[in-house]
Amino acid sequence: MTGAPRHFLDLDRLGSDVLRDILDIGRAYKSAQRVDLPMEGRTLAMIFEKPSTRTRVSFEVAAHQLGGTALFMDDASSQLGRGETVSDTARVLSRYVDVIMLRTDDPRKLRDLAEHATVPVINGLTDSSHPCQLMADVMTFEEHRGDIAGRVVAWCGDGNNVAQSWIHAATRFGFELRVASPEALQPAPSVVDWARDQGARILVTDNPHAAVRGADCVVTDTWVSMGNHDATNRHNMLKPYQVNEDLMGEARADALFMHCLPAHRGEEVTDGVIDGPWSVVWDEAENRLHAQKGILAWCLA
Ligand code: CP
Ligand code: NVA
């Protein structure tokens, strides 16, 4: 590879045009308008320092369907678990593989990896963000309801990594985002301030009804993310933010319900909502595959 590698680190690091291009590529593969194999003879290394079902399988299948292969690494079975630094790992992997995906806790590890890798690096989730998820989420909304620009999305629950990527996405894709979280669990003020400076319409409130009223889409996520320890306290704080049939009834009549999954049924969402007429969560999960084909093809172009 010549020149600087094209990393996919966070939505705030890329422009709207690039993100739109990536979605277009993903959609073109999904509809079989595009059948080229940009991963032919190429390898994706996937480093997971946290568990995964969707991200692991969708990246592995995407690499395979784009003509390449994927390999899985984790702490337990690699030298990362014995203290080899991320930067040394980046230098070594860059000699073998063509693109590296990392799921980790501290976003500084992702930055280190990108700084020292000479191949593209993709953020497969950190404690701060989950940008691959948002590419699938925007793709899913638009498949069902058309352009997301100017629409209203309500987030109810923990102001976590996925919520922060929704804030980045609101800025890049031009929709209004209303985040309802208890005060102690609201998204980082630096992320909200950045988005507002960019001109995004972001409401942060502790009132789920104010967020959901008239929304085009209601989104939630687990109350206890990977790495969170204070589960009981979080359950108590987040109970009023459960997305149930009553709360969905306050959104627009044709509102969608989305969740990155895994869901904790009966906690952040009821069966009636996730299995109900609003829910597009299985399309959303499928679109991880298509959106990530867009990301891989863009990174390797
Ligand atoms: N939504 C998501 O990233 O799921 P996994 O943790 O299963 O990868
Ligand atoms: N917020 C969740 C997302 C899982 C895909 C977590 O970090 O565990």
Side-chain angles (χ1 to χ4, degrees):
M1 179 165 302
T2 52
R6 283 181 156 186
H7 299 310
F8 185 84
L9 299 180
D10 261 318
L11 304 186
D12 62 344
R13 306 270 301 257
L14 297 168
S16 304
D17 292 354
V18 167
L19 297 175
R20 279 275 164 217
D21 283 349
I22 292 173
L23 282 184
D24 287 345
I25 299 168
R27 279 192 278 256
Y29 280 115
K30 184 172 183 178
S31 64
Q33 272 176 310
R34 208 174 143 157
V35 291
D36 60 307
L37 301 174
M39 291 264 327
E40 199 160 22
R42 287 169 151 167
T43 304
L44 163 70
M46 307 185 296
I47 307 171
F48 283 94
E49 297 195 319
K50 293 183 176 204
S52 170
T53 297
R54 280 143 289 271
T55 305
R56 177 179 178 176
V57 176
S58 56
F59 263 116
E60 187 159 346
V61 172
H64 174 72
Q65 291 182 354
L66 293 180
T69 52
L71 60 88
F72 172 82
M73 294 171 64
D74 63 8
D75 277 358
S77 57
S78 76
Q79 300 288 8
L80 276 164
R82 295 183 62 251
E84 185 165 21
T85 64
V86 167
S87 48
D88 286 352
T89 306
R91 291 178 175 105
V92 172
L93 289 183
S94 296
R95 303 291 179 105
Y96 303 134
V97 307
D98 304 278
V99 50
I100 304 169
M101 191 237 69
L102 174 65
R103 168 168 287 195
T104 190
D105 47 9
D106 189 336
R108 283 175 299 190
K109 290 190 199 166
L110 181 77
R111 252 172 268 149
D112 251 15
L113 186 70
E115 204 172 303
H116 293 94
T118 55
V119 299
V121 169
I122 297 172
N123 177 357
L125 179 147
T126 72
D127 288 351
S128 298
S129 64
H130 195 3
C132 291
Q133 181 67 50
L134 259 293
M135 298 303 279
D137 293 355
V138 171
M139 182 183 268
T140 306
F141 181 93
E142 296 196 332
E143 275 177 2
H144 286 270
R145 294 285 180 269
D147 195 351
I148 198 168
R151 310 302 285 271
V152 177
V153 177
W155 173 276
C156 280
D158 185 15
N160 62 15
N161 44 5
V162 180
Q164 296 197 151
S165 281
W166 271 100
I167 295 173
H168 292 157
T171 308
R172 291 298 182 244
F173 292 100
F175 56 88
E176 178 182 340
L177 182 68
R178 304 178 189 159
V179 180
S181 311
E183 216 167 316
L185 297 177
Q186 289 178 348
S190 57
V191 177
V192 177
D193 292 345
W194 169 83
R196 288 181 177 148
D197 283 350
Q198 299 274 311
R201 291 185 67 191
I202 312 283
L203 171 76
V204 180
T205 173
D206 60 3
N207 181 346
H209 307 281
V212 166
R213 202 168 298 131
D216 297 286
C217 181
V218 180
V219 196
T220 190
D221 185 17
T222 180
W223 290 343
V224 186
S225 283
M226 295 179 276
N228 289 155
H229 298 297
D230 50 345
T232 309
N233 193 25
R234 286 174 159 272
H235 275 78
N236 291 336
M237 280 194 284
L238 286 159
K239 235 182 203 125
Y241 297 83
Q242 180 189 66
V243 181
N244 51 39
E245 292 87 323
D246 285 345
L247 191 62
M248 280 307 299
E250 298 180 36
R252 273 176 63 107
D254 65 348
L256 300 177
F257 170 74
M258 299 218 268
H259 189 311
C260 62
L261 306 177
H264 301 78
R265 289 163 176 264
E267 295 181 10
E268 75 272 8
V269 62
T270 57
D271 286 337
V273 170
I274 196 167
D275 298 326
W278 309 275
S279 178
V280 290
V281 299
W282 314 120
D283 293 343
E284 185 183 0
E286 179 188 330
N287 280 335
R288 294 293 306 277
L289 171 66
H290 307 298
Q292 283 154 205
K293 284 184 183 173
I295 293 169
L296 288 168
W298 175 81
C299 284
L300 292 168

